[in-house]
Coordinates of all heavy atoms in Angstrom, one line a residue:
A215 N 0.8 -1.2 0.0 CA 0.0 0.0 -0.1 C 0.9 1.3 0.0 O 2.0 1.3 0.4 CB -0.9 -0.1 1.3
R216 N 0.3 2.3 -0.5 CA 1.0 3.6 -0.5 C 1.1 4.1 1.0 O 0.2 3.9 1.7 CB 0.1 4.6 -1.2 CG 0.8 6.0 -1.4 CD -0.2 6.9 -2.2 NE 0.3 8.2 -2.3 CZ 1.2 8.7 -3.3 NH1 1.7 7.9 -4.1 NH2 1.7 9.9 -3.1
V217 N 2.3 4.6 1.3 CA 2.6 5.1 2.7 C 1.9 6.3 2.9 O 2.0 7.4 2.2 CB 4.1 5.2 2.9 CG1 4.3 5.7 4.3 CG2 4.8 3.9 2.7
T218 N 1.2 6.4 4.1 CA 0.5 7.6 4.5 C 1.0 8.0 6.0 O 1.0 7.0 6.8 CB -1.0 7.6 4.5 OG1 -1.4 6.4 5.4 CG2 -1.5 7.3 3.1
S219 N 1.5 9.2 6.1 CA 2.0 9.5 7.5 C 1.9 11.1 7.6 O 2.2 11.8 6.6 CB 3.3 9.0 7.6 OG 4.0 9.5 8.8
E220 N 1.7 11.5 8.8 CA 1.9 13.0 9.1 C 3.2 13.4 9.6 O 3.3 14.5 10.1 CB 0.8 13.3 10.1 CG -0.7 13.1 9.8 CD -1.1 13.8 8.4 OE1 -0.7 15.0 8.3 OE2 -1.8 13.3 7.6
L221 N 4.1 12.6 9.5 CA 5.5 12.9 10.0 C 6.1 14.0 9.3 O 6.0 14.2 8.1 CB 6.3 11.6 9.8 CG 7.8 11.7 10.4 CD1 7.8 11.7 11.9 CD2 8.6 10.6 9.7
R222 N 6.7 14.9 10.1 CA 7.5 16.0 9.6 C 8.9 16.0 10.3 O 9.0 15.8 11.5 CB 6.8 17.3 9.8 CG 5.5 17.5 9.2 CD 5.6 17.5 7.6 NE 4.4 17.7 6.9 CZ 3.6 16.7 6.6 NH1 3.9 15.5 6.8 NH2 2.4 17.0 5.9
V223 N 9.9 16.2 9.5 CA 11.3 16.2 10.1 C 12.0 17.4 9.5 O 12.1 17.8 8.5 CB 12.1 14.8 9.4 CG1 13.4 14.8 10.1 CG2 11.2 13.6 9.8
A224 N 12.7 18.0 10.5 CA 13.6 19.2 10.2 C 14.8 18.8 9.4 O 15.4 17.7 9.7 CB 14.0 19.9 11.5
G225 N 15.1 19.6 8.4 CA 16.3 19.3 7.6 C 17.6 19.1 8.3 O 18.4 18.3 8.0
D226 N 17.7 19.9 9.4 CA 19.0 19.8 10.1 C 19.0 18.5 11.0 O 20.2 18.0 11.2 CB 19.2 21.0 11.1 CG 18.1 21.2 12.1 OD1 17.0 20.5 12.0 OD2 18.2 22.1 12.9
V227 N 17.9 18.0 11.3 CA 17.8 16.6 11.9 C 18.3 15.6 10.9 O 19.2 14.7 11.3 CB 16.5 16.2 12.3 CG1 16.3 14.9 12.9 CG2 16.1 17.1 13.6
I228 N 17.8 15.6 9.7 CA 18.3 14.7 8.6 C 19.8 14.8 8.4 O 20.5 13.7 8.3 CB 17.5 14.9 7.3 CG1 16.0 14.7 7.5 CG2 18.2 14.0 6.2 CD1 15.6 13.3 7.8
S229 N 20.4 16.0 8.4 CA 21.8 16.2 8.2 C 22.7 15.6 9.3 O 23.8 15.1 9.0 CB 22.0 17.6 8.0 OG 21.4 18.3 6.9
A230 N 22.1 15.4 10.5 CA 22.9 14.9 11.5 C 22.8 13.4 11.7 O 23.5 12.7 12.4 CB 22.3 15.5 13.0
L231 N 21.9 12.7 10.9 CA 21.7 11.3 11.0 C 23.0 10.4 10.5 O 23.3 9.4 11.2 CB 20.6 10.9 10.2 CG 19.2 11.4 10.7 CD1 18.0 10.8 10.0 CD2 19.1 11.1 12.2
P232 N 23.6 10.8 9.5 CA 24.9 10.0 9.1 C 25.9 9.8 10.3 O 26.4 8.8 10.4 CB 25.4 10.8 7.9 CG 24.3 11.4 7.3 CD 23.4 11.9 8.5
E233 N 26.2 11.0 10.9 CA 27.1 10.9 12.1 C 26.6 10.0 13.3 O 27.3 9.3 13.8 CB 27.5 12.2 12.5 CG 28.4 12.3 13.8 CD 28.8 13.7 14.0 OE1 28.3 14.6 13.5 OE2 29.6 13.7 15.1
R234 N 25.3 10.1 13.5 CA 24.7 9.3 14.5 C 24.7 7.8 14.1 O 25.0 6.9 15.0 CB 23.3 9.9 14.9 CG 23.4 11.2 15.4 CD 21.9 11.8 15.7 NE 22.1 13.2 16.1 CZ 21.0 14.0 16.4 NH1 19.8 13.5 16.2 NH2 21.3 15.2 16.8
L235 N 24.4 7.6 12.8 CA 24.4 6.2 12.5 C 25.9 5.6 12.5 O 26.1 4.5 13.0 CB 24.0 6.1 11.0 CG 23.8 4.7 10.3 CD1 22.9 3.9 11.1 CD2 23.6 4.9 8.8
R236 N 26.8 6.4 12.0 CA 28.2 5.9 12.0 C 28.7 5.6 13.5 O 29.5 4.7 13.8 CB 29.1 7.0 11.4 CG 30.6 6.6 11.4 CD 30.9 5.5 10.5 NE 32.3 5.2 10.5 CZ 33.2 5.7 9.7 NH1 32.7 6.5 8.7 NH2 34.5 5.4 9.7
H237 N 28.3 6.6 14.4 CA 28.7 6.4 15.9 C 28.2 5.1 16.4 O 28.8 4.5 17.3 CB 28.2 7.5 16.7 CG 28.6 7.6 18.1 ND1 29.9 7.8 18.5 CD2 27.8 7.2 19.2 CE1 29.9 7.7 19.8 NE2 28.7 7.4 20.3
A238 N 27.0 4.6 15.8 CA 26.4 3.4 16.5 C 26.9 2.1 15.7 O 26.6 1.0 16.1 CB 24.9 3.5 16.4
Q239 N 27.8 2.4 14.7 CA 28.3 1.2 13.9 C 29.5 0.6 14.6 O 30.7 0.8 14.2 CB 28.6 1.6 12.5 CG 27.5 1.9 11.6 CD 27.8 2.3 10.3 OE1 27.6 3.4 9.8 NE2 28.3 1.3 9.4
K240 N 29.3 -0.2 15.6 CA 30.4 -0.8 16.3 C 31.3 -1.8 15.5 O 32.5 -1.8 15.6 CB 29.8 -1.6 17.5 CG 29.0 -0.6 18.5 CD 29.7 0.6 19.0 CE 28.8 1.4 19.9 NZ 29.5 2.7 20.3
L241 N 30.6 -2.7 14.7 CA 31.3 -3.6 13.9 C 32.1 -2.9 12.8 O 33.1 -3.4 12.4 CB 30.4 -4.7 13.4 CG 29.7 -5.6 14.4 CD1 28.8 -6.6 13.8 CD2 30.8 -6.3 15.2
F242 N 31.5 -1.8 12.2 CA 32.2 -1.1 11.1 C 33.5 -0.5 11.6 O 34.5 -0.5 10.9 CB 31.2 0.0 10.6 CG 31.9 0.8 9.5 CD1 31.9 0.4 8.2 CD2 32.6 1.9 9.7 CE1 32.5 1.1 7.1 CE2 33.2 2.7 8.7 CZ 33.1 2.2 7.4
E243 N 33.5 -0.1 12.9 CA 34.7 0.5 13.5 C 35.8 -0.5 13.6 O 37.0 -0.1 13.4 CB 34.4 1.1 14.9 CG 33.6 2.3 14.8 CD 34.2 3.6 14.1 OE1 35.4 3.7 14.2 OE2 33.5 4.3 13.4
Q244 N 35.4 -1.8 13.7 CA 36.4 -2.9 13.9 C 36.9 -3.5 12.6 O 38.1 -3.9 12.4 CB 35.8 -4.0 14.7 CG 35.5 -3.5 16.1 CD 34.8 -4.7 16.9 OE1 35.1 -5.8 16.7 NE2 33.9 -4.3 17.7
T245 N 36.0 -3.4 11.5 CA 36.3 -4.1 10.3 C 36.3 -3.1 9.0 O 37.0 -3.5 8.1 CB 35.3 -5.1 10.0 OG1 33.9 -4.5 9.8 CG2 35.1 -6.1 11.2
G246 N 35.5 -2.1 9.0 CA 35.5 -1.2 7.9 C 34.7 -1.8 6.8 O 34.8 -1.3 5.6
G247 N 34.0 -2.9 7.0 CA 33.4 -3.6 5.8 C 31.9 -4.0 5.9 O 31.5 -5.0 5.5
L248 N 31.1 -3.0 6.6 CA 29.8 -3.4 6.8 C 28.9 -2.2 6.5 O 29.2 -1.0 6.8 CB 29.5 -3.8 8.2 CG 30.1 -5.1 8.7 CD1 29.9 -5.3 10.2 CD2 29.4 -6.3 8.0
H249 N 27.7 -2.5 5.9 CA 26.6 -1.5 5.7 C 25.8 -1.4 7.1 O 25.9 -2.3 7.9 CB 25.7 -1.8 4.6 CG 26.3 -1.9 3.2 ND1 26.6 -0.7 2.7 CD2 26.8 -2.8 2.4 CE1 27.1 -0.8 1.5 NE2 27.3 -2.1 1.3
A250 N 25.0 -0.3 7.2 CA 24.1 -0.2 8.3 C 22.8 0.4 8.0 O 22.8 1.1 7.0 CB 24.9 0.8 9.3

């Protein structure tokens, strides 16, 4: 089905997500070879 949602997200929140994702990538820090 088509996704329906009232969610709104600030652009600066989106911009901060890659760093927060990378910070949580524990196995990537050890291997450098994983997606998240």
